[in-house]
Amino acid sequence: MQRRVTTSSSATFIKTIMDIVKKINLLNQATFDSVKQSDIVKVIERFTKTGLKMLDGDFGYVFWRKKKGQAYQLIYQTPGITYKPNPPRKRGYNMLVAKTHRPYMGIVKKERFSKYDLTKYMQSIVIIPIAYRKNIYGNMVLCFKKKHVFTKEERNLTIALGNATAQALAINQFYSELEELVAKRTAQLKATNASLERDKAEDEAILTSIGQGLIATDRQGEIIFINPQVEQMLGWKEDDILHKNIFQFLPLLTQSGQTLPEEERPIHQSLTQGKKVTSRNYYYIGKSGKMIPLSITSSPVKLNGEIIGAIEVFRDITQEKEIDQAKSELISLVSHQLRTPLSGINWYVESLIKEEVGHLNPEQKKYLSEVYRANQKLVELVYDFLNVSRIELGTFNIKLSAINIHSVCQGVLDELQPVIKNKHLKVKTRYTGNRNIFQADHKVITIVMQNLITNAVKYTRPNGNIDILIKIKLKDKISAILSIIVSDNGIGIPQKDQEKIFSKLFRADNIKTLDADGTGLGLYIVKSFIELCGGTIRFRSRENHGTKFYVDIPVSPSGNGKTA
Ligand code: ADP
């Protein structure tokens, strides 16, 4: 007997467990299916039906709102309901559930405030809150025509049903919002892509139709784009060039045909220092071996301030070079032809002024002095032209000879003495180092000294000061540096003009105040000559405060070394 009771109660227990497992399975299945379901009403229907099956209810309905604060709407009801379900009202059970987030399960009583007597339609009711993350989205109402006494398990299952429904709906809502977002973003991306494609087509059309060669490289100098003009100019096909390293595949040559070191190439400076560099001094060598003179502009390509590559644009300037050459040749020819007659005029006028061939009255002397001065200017101009054409035709040859820097400097100062005196300038000359004789090009050293000291004299106001410092720094037995510093407290060079000061024919704006003669060729010649000798020139200047030029020229200490 004892045994039989035990057996039957454990059978009931097992049956109850199986029943719960079945119901949980129903819930799991509904949850699983709802993930694939995009229609929110279908999800609600599925859970309502599952709830009715789990609790053995007769009919049900759901009130739902999309967002907190919106009004509840009847979103689903099982077919055949004969009365109109009421949305949650101030004092009803529905509102209580919505407020407490806890299900109501119990007997239906005749509500005091309701127009309806619900007991006509049902005896028991379950109201399940559909809440997610503290927000209540609705109530699921399951109705029982007959009185139903709810067990503890049924209460737990009801809570699980509420949670599962809420989660399924939250996921559904999340996915639909996501879909909306994805659709919106996809449309945006499509629009952006279309406009990018259009921009790209436009850019490519521009790049391929410009008359200049264009090469784009990445950060390492690998060629990633060329336009058809590169193929035409250099004779290489795109396939030969693309993905090659520009420094290895396309060496840049100097006029003498030597390969320009990588770090001196304009594109290298753009890639490493982010600089825009322009140059007209170099050549590419085409596939046929022909040297092509170029005007090159290289610019860095930056993304968020970081250099990611560079673009080199170049133009074949063969014709311009030929015209330049012809111009330089003409200037050279004319200057050579003018030099002799002008020197002759100088010589004869000088004799006349000195009264070597007869007495002159004061007026005649004055006029002849004017002729002499004007002729002197012409002689200087012709010499400048000759030097410029030598630089540009590459016909200047360095000739070394023993130079006494004291006498070069003194000679220049002697020539300028009348102006120095006239302007009451104080000129101080200092020599340091242990020699004053060395081997260098006499012409270069003289032109450098003449220009720097003449400029200091010209561009310093009366009573100003000029300092000349000359130093020979011995490096070893065979090499030394001649260092020349010429400083003045004159009108200075305006900041905006400083980068152009060594250009041909350039004169700064502020010199107009001084009425000083000049051609704007002096510093161009000086810099070119110094660089031909392997030296450097730089300056520091402040407008109305003064200017200081620093020159370093390699010289040879060999020869007749004398102590200074
Ligand atoms: P210029 O024949 O005009 O003197 P340069 O080539 O010698 O030509 O000099 C170019 C310009 O540089 C001058 O016109 C002047 O504006 C400026 N410059 C050169 N030296 C000085 C200086 N010591 N002080 C002020 N400006 C100077």
Side-chain angles (χ1 to χ4, degrees), residues 480-496:
I481 297 285
L482 165 66
S483 180
I484 305 165
I485 301 174
V486 179
S487 51
D488 61 63
N489 62 351
I491 60 166
I493 302 166
Q495 186 69 36
K496 69 170 177 47

Side-chain angles (χ1 to χ4, degrees), residues 384 451-460 486-494 497 500-512 514 516-526 539 541-542 546-549:
D384 275 356
N451 270 283
L452 296 186
I453 301 174
T454 309
N455 280 350
V457 169
K458 273 199 299 191
Y459 303 119
T460 301
V486 179
S487 51
D488 61 63
N489 62 351
I491 60 166
I493 302 166
D497 292 333
K500 290 175 254 165
I501 218 68
F502 294 111
S503 321
K504 223 181 341 180
L505 300 171
F506 184 81
R507 307 194 77 202
D509 273 348
N510 61 336
I511 56 161
K512 287 169 197 149
L514 279 185
D517 285 334
T519 57
L521 289 172
L523 287 179
Y524 169 75
I525 294 169
V526 163
F539 68 93
S541 185
R542 243 177 94 199
T547 306
K548 200 166 184 172
F549 276 93

Side-chain angles (χ1 to χ4, degrees), residues 89 146-147 240 271 370:
R89 283 167 297 114
K146 289 190 187 135
K147 223 177 231 162
D240 301 327
L271 284 171
E370 282 302 316

